[in-house]
Amino acid sequence: MKYLGEHLLPGQLGHFFTILSLVASLVATVAFYRSTRVGLATEKQGWLRLARVAFLLETISVFAMFGILYYIISHHLFEYKYAYTHSDKSLQVEYLLSCFWEGQEGSFMLWSFWHCVLGWILIWKAKAWEGGVMTVVSFAQFTLATMLLGVYVFGVKIGSSPFVLLRNEFNWPILSRPDYLNLIKDGEGLNTLLQNYWMVIHPPILFLGFASTIVPFAYAIAGLLQKNHDWVKPSLPWASFSAAVLGTGIMMGAAWAYESLSFGGYWAWDPVENASLVPWLTLIAGLHTNLIYRSSGHSLRATYFFYIITFSLILYSTFLTRSGILGDTSVHAFVDLGMNTQLLLFLLVFLVPALSLFGMRYKGIPAIHKEENTYSREFWMFIGALVLFLSGMVIIAKTSTPVVNKLFGTKIAPPEDPEYAHNQIQVFVAIIIGLLAAVTQYFKYKDTPKAFFGKKIWVPTFIAVLISLGISFFGAVRFDKHGPGFLFAIHLAIFAAVYAVVANASYIWLGLKGKIKAAGASVAHVGFGMVLVGILISSAKKTVLSWNTTGVTPLSEEKAGERGNPAGNPRENLTLFKGVATDMGRYMVTYTRDTLNEKDRKRYFEIKFKAKEGNESFDLYPDVIKNNKGMEGFAANPAAKHYWYKDIFAYITSFQENTGEDTAKFVNRDIKVGDTLYYSNGLIVLNKVQVNPAEQQHKYKTGETALFLDISILSKAGSRYHAMPGMAIAGNNFRPITDTVHSQSLILSFNKVKDEKQGLLEIGIKESGAVTDLLTLKVYEFPMINVLWLGIVVMVLGFVMSILQRTKKSGPLRVA
């Protein structure tokens, strides 16, 4: 059957380049490996030339696949499953790239793309290590290429191709028709959570971090194969680069969560977040043991282990996030594509040979059997590396609960409060690492005179104690939710973090004599300390501002504890009626209007904040976008007002737009001054009758006589409201002037004077759900959160300084 309107050439080219990349990467792997096993220089160069040509073909293939898939997505070729399931015609141009990494196939392609880029830098710079290192990189490319095959071998599916046709993947009746494309009007679209600018830049940086961890791993494997341990010198800048990029990618993800997700923060110990963090921790551990070996000869074995385990953890995180095993515990995980066995093999094909080779070569790896001096830098650096490793193992153990349950048939339940389950342990890690980051640089390698150490360290210690005491006593850090013990640990961690900042900033002058170019490590540690300070203070002092003062809420208490419910406790969500200024603690808050942006299909709500004291006022524009891909409701995107010392962070938790017809009717009631009437939610009290009151003159015209009723409304929740319904009289003409209490959905009218002598009046009372639009808003205050973001910038700057320093001045190894 000939199908009308299909564009088959892009898919055919895509499949061709997928096969070419598979074959080319296999040839490159064999050729690079052979170049390390031959003795003659001419033969070695021959194998290297072949390997480079094969790697060039591999690179061309990956780039071509990338370009073809972009063409398919951007041209809305919905005959292809990938374009149909990950994009639609209304998607903004800037989000087309995000369609790549929504699916597993595109993210594997992105990973392979970065391997190509890094591979050519290694071919240019690795020199004698080129063959060994590129053997590992090329083999990784081969394994990634298998992930994109999408072919069946003896009934077993290998990989998942992004170039498959929709009609070959689904059994929908319309797909059997030759004109099925005329019936497919649009694609399913990009997940609403990914329609954010952070998701355009965060995944490429994160995957560059993932990809770059293979370089220290490859150097370590090459060293083991060749029994040559000089690889630690050229691997050091790469380890710093990988740590900087991976750390940046992780924190970009935190920034995305802060700006796009509605759990009220930037880190929730989500399993996918953890799976990215743990390799970074072990990589930092390996970076420090690498430095130890370079300067003292200790910890080479540990360096091998940490670099091997780092890349292995990247592969394990790939298995966790792509196997579907975290589907019930993470909002970030990919769906299961039926590739679990292949994903597990992807991990094992690197982990098992690497650990086996490490075990076989272990005794031959140089080691100094004399224990390090406790007054030496290398001793405390190793302790720090060990703490980071153990911290990572605790995190990954908790994260792997679904894997344990599946393997052993257990039913270990996740903790009710996952944040506290991690924080109660990691707060002590923060204390230890903060203290070590502060004092370790003041030690010298091998041995440090006690008098020298004490003379250098006492000034930053004294300053840090003063600053941290000031924060503890005057900073109002009173996070007692988990008891006084945890609160005390938070204050200790604040001291350790401040100590890390002050001590490392001081070391630039006390230890390095102001040599900024040599201060990369100190700057990175200052940044790390700032990150800890920002995390501790912004989390411990995170405050809910939006306690509901109206007594009205559309939210349900029953859903408060449901996973993924952005509202949480209904009492923490302020109900706002359109156009009504509402009390929210320090602010009066007004929901002024909302607009639908046709371009990004988001509904923006204008929320006006006015401080009760002073002149502070600002507007926030949180938005919602309708969920897609079979999910009901709307996804909320927060908005924030940034100050140098805090953020005011707000998001919509529900909204009601009353577009229906108002079918409610007025109920007429008699009333006198001082009388009380009941309505469904409280009391109505007539205080007095006023004639032509000055404050209401904008409601009546010149020549009219106006009578207004001064009425108080008391709701069941205890809230008081004021209403002034009236009537305007001109001769024999009568005009009613109604008044509305929006937050009570209450409309009042003054109908007539029934008995002037007795003071008997008639008012109309109407309770209508169609009176106004309303929303519920959740607002947090994050004190000092910008210290966290600034700390990330400073830390990355420190890494960059270290990379430049070690690249330009990589002297010989100083081993004992």
Side-chain angles (χ1 to χ4, degrees):
M1 181 185 296
K2 184 176 181 181
Y3 294 91
L4 304 177
E6 286 188 335
H7 301 78
L8 300 180
L9 182 60
Q12 292 167 349
L13 288 173
H15 283 296
F16 168 76
F17 282 114
T18 302
I19 299 298
L20 182 59
S21 72
L22 179 78
V23 174
S25 58
L26 183 60
V27 171
T29 302
V30 173
F32 275 123
Y33 178 74
R34 288 296 300 158
S35 73
T36 66
R37 312 308 293 176
V38 295
L40 294 175
T42 53
E43 194 174 355
K44 180 184 180 72
Q45 286 302 314
W47 282 111
L48 282 177
R49 279 193 296 271
L50 174 61
R52 290 166 185 168
V53 170
F55 194 76
L56 177 61
L57 287 175
E58 158 71 5
T59 303
I60 292 171
S61 299
V62 171
F63 280 50
M65 291 159 59
F66 208 93
I68 291 167
L69 187 57
Y70 182 81
Y71 176 85
I72 289 173
I73 293 171
S74 62
H75 285 75
H76 311 300
L77 303 185
F78 295 136
E79 56 266 43
Y80 293 96
K81 178 187 173 185
Y82 205 84
Y84 177 79
T85 55
H86 300 299
S87 68
D88 60 52
K89 293 177 181 177
S90 64
L91 197 64
Q92 295 156 264
V93 174
E94 56 266 33
Y95 296 144
L96 289 176
L97 280 175
S98 298
C99 300
F100 271 85
W101 22 95
E102 185 188 40
Q104 294 200 36
E105 301 91 336
S107 57
F108 276 127
M109 198 181 297
L110 178 63
W111 193 344
S112 187
F113 170 88
W114 284 126
H115 274 174
C116 291
V117 174
L118 296 172
W120 283 108
I121 298 173
L122 287 167
I123 290 171
W124 176 34
K125 290 289 188 180
K127 298 178 182 178
W129 289 99
E130 178 188 344
V133 172
M134 286 303 298
T135 298
V136 179
V137 174
S138 297
F139 183 66
Q141 286 291 79
F142 172 75
T143 57
L144 287 172
T146 66
M147 297 292 179
L148 299 172
L149 279 180
V151 299
Y152 286 86
V153 178
F154 302 113
V156 178
K157 186 179 181 182
I158 300 177
S160 178
S161 173
F163 304 110
V164 293
L165 294 170
L166 188 67
R167 57 180 166 83
N168 291 335
E169 296 296 306
F170 296 108
N171 294 320
W172 302 341
I174 66 166
L175 297 179
S176 61
R177 296 177 50 166
D179 62 342
Y180 76 91
L181 280 176
N182 295 329
L183 304 177
I184 297 177
K185 302 302 181 183
D186 207 350
E188 293 182 347
L190 178 67
N191 189 306
T192 53
L193 294 177
L194 303 184
Q195 295 182 38
N196 178 277
Y197 66 93
W198 279 113
M199 290 309 293
V200 179
I201 57 176
H202 155 58
I205 299 300
L206 185 65
F207 273 91
L208 175 57
F210 287 167
S212 64
T213 60
I214 199 174
V215 181
F217 171 82
Y219 270 109
I221 296 300
L224 290 173
L225 287 171
Q226 299 176 28
K227 300 180 182 180
N228 181 351
H229 310 295
D230 290 340
W231 62 271
V232 293
K233 183 173 67 174
S235 72
L236 195 53
W238 281 104
S240 297
F241 171 79
S242 186
V245 176
L246 183 56
T248 302
I250 292 169
M251 292 315 297
M252 279 184 171
W256 165 69
Y258 183 66
E259 291 200 8
S260 295
L261 300 183
S262 51
F263 63 78
Y266 45 84
W267 194 266
W269 292 109
D270 182 274
V272 173
E273 297 172 342
N274 300 346
S276 301
L277 175 65
V278 173
W280 185 80
L281 293 175
T282 57
L283 177 61
I284 296 298
L287 175 61
H288 283 79
T289 55
N290 196 336
L291 288 167
I292 291 172
Y293 177 71
R294 189 174 186 274
S295 298
S296 71
H298 287 282
S299 299
L300 179 57
R301 290 171 175 173
T303 305
Y304 271 109
F305 174 76
F306 286 138
Y307 285 162
I308 290 171
I309 207 67
T310 294
F311 184 66
S312 301
L313 283 166
I314 290 290
L315 301 180
Y316 180 60
S317 74
T318 301
F319 170 75
L320 283 179
T321 56
R322 296 167 188 271
S323 63
I325 204 166
L326 297 178
D328 294 331
T329 57
S330 173
V331 299
H332 304 297
F334 289 95
V335 296
D336 183 6
L337 288 182
M339 295 170 54
N340 292 9
T341 301
Q342 190 175 353
L343 289 168
L344 186 59
L345 289 173
F346 185 33
L347 165 63
L348 296 178
V349 78
F350 283 94
L351 177 63
V352 173
L355 289 181
S356 299
L357 186 61
F358 177 62
M360 289 188 294
R361 298 280 197 266
Y362 185 82
K363 291 184 179 179
I365 298 173
I368 298 175
H369 297 289
K370 179 184 176 182
E371 292 187 4
E372 298 98 325
N373 189 331
T374 55
Y375 266 79
S376 66
R377 182 181 294 186
E378 60 268 26
F379 176 82
W380 294 109
M381 285 176 69
F382 182 78
I383 295 296
L386 188 60
V387 170
L388 288 172
F389 171 71
L390 294 175
S391 169
M393 292 305 98
V394 170
I395 295 170
I396 205 67
K398 289 180 177 290
T399 304
S400 299
T401 299
V403 179
V404 174
N405 286 340
K406 193 159 188 175
L407 285 177
F408 301 103
T410 54
K411 296 182 179 179
I412 303 172
E416 291 185 10
D417 186 350
E419 289 189 37
Y420 180 62
H422 285 281
N423 289 340
Q424 65 181 334
I425 297 172
Q426 299 305 322
V427 68
F428 294 102
V429 174
I431 293 169
I432 297 170
I433 294 299
L435 293 174
L436 291 175
V439 304
T440 299
Q441 288 200 88
Y442 287 86
F443 289 103
K444 296 181 178 181
Y445 283 106
K446 299 182 181 178
D447 189 25
T448 309
K450 295 180 181 179
F452 173 85
F453 175 76
K455 181 181 178 182
K456 296 287 186 180
I457 200 67
W458 80 266
V459 173
T461 303
F462 180 71
I463 295 172
V465 167
L466 290 180
I467 294 174
S468 58
L469 286 176
I471 294 173
S472 295
F473 285 105
F474 304 108
V477 180
R478 305 187 185 95
F479 186 79
D480 55 1
K481 179 180 178 181
H482 299 294
F486 188 64
L487 178 60
F488 180 69
I490 289 174
H491 284 283
L492 279 181
I494 289 173
F495 163 71
V498 170
Y499 196 15
V501 174
V502 174
N504 280 279
S506 301
Y507 184 78
I508 296 173
W509 282 268
L510 295 176
L512 299 175
K513 309 300 182 184
K515 298 176 182 177
I516 299 296
K517 291 184 178 181
S522 296
V523 172
H525 288 154
V526 168
F528 179 73
M530 292 174 68
V531 169
L532 289 181
V533 171
I535 289 173
L536 290 163
I537 295 180
S538 66
S539 299
K541 293 193 64 179
K542 173 183 168 182
T543 305
V544 176
L545 300 182
S546 53
W547 292 101
N548 195 8
T549 58
T550 67
V552 179
T553 180
L555 302 174
S556 170
E557 288 277 359
E558 296 177 357
K559 296 183 178 181
E562 289 184 4
R563 178 175 173 263
N565 177 20
N569 185 349
R571 288 169 291 178
E572 295 179 351
N573 298 260
L574 181 65
T575 302
L576 297 178
F577 294 85
K578 196 171 187 177
V580 179
T582 306
D583 189 344
M584 194 191 75
R586 301 195 303 268
Y587 298 94
M588 294 299 294
V589 183
T590 308
Y591 159 32
T592 57
R593 60 178 177 146
D594 58 88
T595 56
L596 182 64
N597 187 322
E598 296 295 339
K599 182 181 179 184
D600 60 13
R601 292 161 290 119
K602 294 179 180 179
R603 182 180 293 276
Y604 291 85
F605 295 83
E606 182 177 273
I607 313 295
K608 188 175 292 294
F609 289 73
K610 178 72 172 68
K612 293 179 181 177
E613 299 180 4
N615 298 320
E616 180 190 7
S617 66
F618 56 90
D619 294 340
L620 290 181
Y621 298 90
D623 67 81
V624 298
I625 182 171
K626 185 173 177 58
N627 280 323
N628 55 8
K629 296 184 179 292
M631 296 185 292
E632 296 181 353
F634 290 79
N637 291 302
K641 171 66 175 176
H642 303 289
Y643 297 84
W644 71 267
Y645 61 97
K646 68 177 181 181
D647 274 7
I648 303 293
F649 173 98
Y651 59 92
I652 306 297
T653 52
S654 73
F655 69 96
Q656 294 180 8
E657 185 179 19
N658 293 304
T659 57
E661 182 182 354
D662 183 5
T663 58
K665 297 181 179 180
F666 280 99
V667 176
N668 298 328
R669 304 286 297 276
D670 293 345
I671 192 170
K672 295 179 181 180
V673 173
D675 282 355
T676 299
L677 299 177
Y678 293 92
Y679 72 105
S680 64
N681 198 44
L683 308 173
I684 297 173
V685 180
L686 176 57
N687 301 316
K688 59 185 176 181
V689 180
Q690 294 181 278
V691 180
N692 293 339
E695 66 273 15
Q696 300 292 329
Q697 63 183 3
H698 61 285
K699 295 184 179 179
Y700 57 89
K701 302 173 184 176
T702 304
E704 289 183 327
T705 300
L707 300 178
F708 282 88
L709 306 185
D710 187 312
I711 293 176
S712 295
I713 295 97
L714 178 63
S715 73
K716 290 177 181 178
S719 301
R720 287 183 173 273
Y721 305 94
H722 184 248
M724 291 282 286
M727 64 171 64
I729 305 168
N732 294 324
N733 296 322
F734 161 81
R735 180 169 60 86
I737 304 171
T738 60
D739 200 2
T740 303
V741 182
H742 292 284
S743 61
Q744 298 295 295
S745 298
L746 188 65
I747 304 173
L748 299 175
S749 67
F750 180 10
N751 296 341
K752 61 184 176 181
V753 179
K754 293 190 71 172
D755 190 326
E756 187 175 351
K757 291 182 179 180
Q758 295 184 22
L760 185 63
L761 312 174
E762 182 183 280
I763 66 171
I765 302 172
K766 181 165 77 167
E767 297 183 65
S768 171
V771 169
T772 186
D773 299 342
L774 66 85
L775 58 81
T776 54
L777 185 73
K778 197 157 193 176
V779 185
Y780 289 105
E781 181 178 87
F782 285 96
M784 306 307 292
I785 192 172
N786 290 320
V787 175
L788 163 62
W789 308 126
L790 181 60
I792 297 296
V793 174
V794 174
M795 184 169 64
V796 172
L797 176 63
F799 275 120
V800 172
M801 292 170 64
S802 297
I803 294 168
L804 293 175
Q805 179 190 0
R806 288 164 188 150
T807 302
K808 292 179 179 179
K809 190 180 178 181
S810 54
L813 291 176
R814 293 181 293 164
V815 296

